[in-house]
Amino acid sequence: MNILVVGGGGREHAIIRSLKKNPTVETIYALPGNGGIAADAVCVPIGAKEIPQIVAFAKENHIDYAVVAPDDPLVLGAVDALEAEGIPCFGPRANAAIIEGSKVFSKDLMKKYGIPTAQYEVFDNMEAALTYLDTAPIPTVIKADGLALGKGVIIANTREEAKDAVRSMMADRVFGSSGDHIVIEEFLTGPEVSVLSFTDGKCVKPMVSSMDHKRARDNDTGLNTGGMGTVAPNPYYTPEIAERCMKEIFLPTIAAMNAEGRTFKGCLYFGLMLTPNGPKVIEYNCRFGDPETQVVLPLLESDLLTVMQATTNGTLEETEVRFSDKHACCVILASDGYPTAYKKGFPITMTREAKEHTFVAGAKLENGTLVTSGGRVTGTTAIGNTLEEAIAEAYRICDGVSFENSYRRSDIGQRALQALK
Ligand code: AMP
Ligand code: GLY
């Protein structure tokens, strides 16, 4: 089989490594891929949002199955366009990807179908939003409606901060049209859990839970990033909570999307907060998380391609989705300065062991040498019989990856370890 994977980050590298385990897979094309992915797939310089070019490439190269990994092409309708040419795909169509593409849509969906989430108000008028903030409970959370590269959420600890956030989104339009509508919502507290799930629109099979580390620096300080490391499973996500989430959140969400005529197929990501009043949805993503995928897929014992095809064909119920009961930890190496300004172009070296355990994100090949080209550069994943072992191994192996100007957090998994004790 010839497979096409749209995207070019650490998540796509992890997906490609898992797909390669299937013996029927002949060639995997990555569009655009990256310098590290080039070791595992044929990288083609077509951007993830260049949908007409992606479709033309898929037809010319006899693609049997396509995996659309990032949010942008999903929201823009890459799956619809590929399916229209008869190419089966993993991922939701645009009318279902809106569950991530519009916060207003997802909040209204949850309200309509009684799915637990933070209380909220929607505004498309700045003056009304500012007036509301005169009396809203503080802290409060301001969210731009559309995709904003993961930066469209601001937690405001004072009224002035909240109003500044509203002005920057609605008047200065720092997120462009994504800020034309905003959500102002209740500030929730509790441990966060990421649960990725496979769904064919009929049944939902959750993957092993995970914990992201969003802040740039140790002890959850510094700016919000795309994620500086992950562990799986997440110790806060007990079997009792999992059962409750299935009943109160996962199944109702699948049913709600069907009732709206927006059947969701692919990977539905539940960003949950375990509040004193029970688990609540912080956000939905219409795709695999990054860097959650880098710990979740290495624990998948079933064949990824088979499971993906079952979500497309509607046969997920009878398809086994089995995970190892071991632990995984992924440590991200980033360019110093990320998530704001950073230098790039530094050569990357890896030991043979590190290469096997590392998913490459922000790197490109320059005259055959792998050099840094992004903020998050690599993610090194190790598996252990215990969480402690997985963390120690991930850091030990990560020592074998090096480039100038790098930094990493030194406490990935520590909060999870404490929760276990
Ligand atoms: P998101 O971009 O939706 O993942 O939000 C980024 C982060 O903001 C989340 O991972 C949470 O830590 C935090 N967050 C979002 N919504 C809320 C909320 N209502 N209460 C508290 N924290 C939140
Ligand atoms: N790691 C969070 C995300 O992929 O959105």
Side-chain angles (χ1 to χ4, degrees):
M1 281 186 59
N2 292 325
I3 313 274
L4 180 158
V5 175
V6 176
R11 162 185 58 201
E12 287 75 11
H13 201 177
I15 290 171
I16 287 166
R17 286 250 177 98
S18 287
L19 288 172
K20 273 180 76 173
K21 293 182 193 161
N22 180 305
T24 69
V25 171
E26 291 158 65
T27 307
I28 303 182
Y29 297 95
L31 278 55
N34 67 44
I37 290 176
D40 291 292
V42 179
C43 295
V44 182
I46 295 176
K49 291 196 272 186
E50 295 171 12
I51 293 174
Q53 290 89 325
I54 292 169
V55 174
F57 178 89
K59 280 165 62 183
E60 278 160 27
N61 292 278
H62 312 288
I63 296 299
D64 300 296
Y65 193 67
V67 177
V68 182
D71 46 1
D72 280 312
L74 289 167
V75 170
L76 291 170
V79 168
D80 309 56
L82 286 160
E83 282 182 351
E85 296 296 337
I87 297 159
C89 289
F90 181 80
R93 295 181 183 162
N95 78 344
I98 191 175
I99 198 165
E100 173 171 4
S102 167
K103 300 250 191 240
V104 174
F105 171 84
S106 67
K107 294 299 292 190
D108 288 349
L109 184 86
M110 289 186 268
K111 187 190 259 179
K112 182 170 173 187
Y113 293 93
I115 298 164
T117 188
Q119 305 263 358
Y120 72 103
E121 299 284 339
V122 176
F123 296 93
D124 53 15
N125 174 294
M126 185 170 76
E127 287 314 316
L130 293 174
T131 306
Y132 171 78
L133 285 172
D134 281 331
T135 53
I138 297 291
T140 189
V141 185
I142 320 284
K143 299 187 171 182
D145 176 42
L147 295 179
L149 297 168
K151 293 182 185 142
V153 175
I154 290 170
I155 296 176
N157 290 306
T158 65
R159 283 187 208 290
E160 256 336 287
E161 253 178 78
K163 288 183 179 183
D164 285 345
V166 167
R167 286 189 200 102
S168 73
M169 285 180 196
M170 302 192 91
D172 308 340
R173 303 185 87 228
V174 291
F175 303 121
S177 60
S178 284
D180 289 349
H181 306 271
I182 61 164
V183 171
I184 300 183
E185 72 177 28
E186 174 195 11
F187 176 75
L188 299 175
T189 55
E192 284 185 59
V193 183
S194 303
V195 180
L196 285 55
S197 69
F198 291 107
T199 177
D200 59 359
K202 294 184 283 190
C203 81
V204 55
K205 297 204 172 173
M207 302 180 218
V208 62
S209 63
S210 53
M211 181 191 283
D212 196 0
H213 297 67
K214 285 209 163 127
R215 299 297 200 94
R217 301 288 165 178
D218 283 7
N219 301 314
D220 293 325
T221 58
L223 292 172
N224 253 326
T225 71
M228 292 297 295
T230 36
V231 294
N234 184 321
Y236 289 105
Y237 193 70
T238 61
E240 296 71 42
I241 292 173
E243 201 183 317
R244 197 166 162 191
C245 288
M246 178 57 88
K247 229 169 28 213
E248 295 175 11
I249 296 173
F250 305 162
L251 292 172
T253 301
I254 301 303
M257 291 298 276
N258 285 332
E260 294 292 311
R262 296 174 181 274
T263 295
F264 189 105
K265 293 182 175 197
C267 173
L268 183 53
Y269 167 132
F270 299 91
L272 306 172
M273 197 172 266
L274 309 180
T275 78
N277 298 317
K280 297 194 180 186
V281 177
I282 288 282
E283 62 163 350
Y284 293 113
N285 290 328
C286 64
R287 52 169 176 87
F288 282 98
D290 189 339
E292 286 89 340
T293 307
Q294 290 92 311
V295 284
V296 168
L297 288 186
L299 293 173
L300 178 66
E301 290 179 339
S302 307
D303 176 61
L304 178 63
L305 180 62
T306 305
V307 175
M308 284 182 158
Q309 287 176 310
T311 69
T312 311
N313 301 336
T315 52
L316 189 60
E317 182 72 60
E318 57 266 31
T319 303
E320 188 188 42
V321 182
R322 194 182 65 247
F323 283 86
S324 152
D325 54 14
K326 293 187 176 177
H327 297 255
C329 174
C330 173
V331 177
I332 301 287
L333 266 190
S335 301
D336 195 19
Y338 171 77
T340 51
Y342 52 82
K343 292 191 193 137
K344 44 195 181 184
F346 299 109
I348 303 167
T349 59
M350 283 190 239
T351 61
R352 178 196 283 255
E353 184 188 37
K355 226 176 233 170
E356 277 169 20
H357 284 80
T358 297
F359 304 114
V360 176
K364 62 177 183 185
L365 284 173
E366 230 171 50
N367 305 320
T369 303
L370 194 62
V371 302
T372 65
S373 68
R376 289 187 296 172
V377 177
T378 55
T380 301
T381 298
I383 292 177
N385 288 317
T386 62
L387 176 59
E388 213 153 11
E389 201 180 296
I391 295 169
E393 273 295 277
Y395 275 99
R396 184 186 66 73
I397 300 169
C398 186
D399 284 340
V401 183
S402 78
F403 56 91
E404 224 179 285
N405 202 45
S406 71
Y407 88 95
R408 68 185 189 195
R409 277 180 60 160
S410 66
D411 65 341
I412 301 302
Q414 290 306 318
R415 208 153 29 88
L417 261 187
Q418 264 150 29
L420 281 176
K421 282 175 188 160

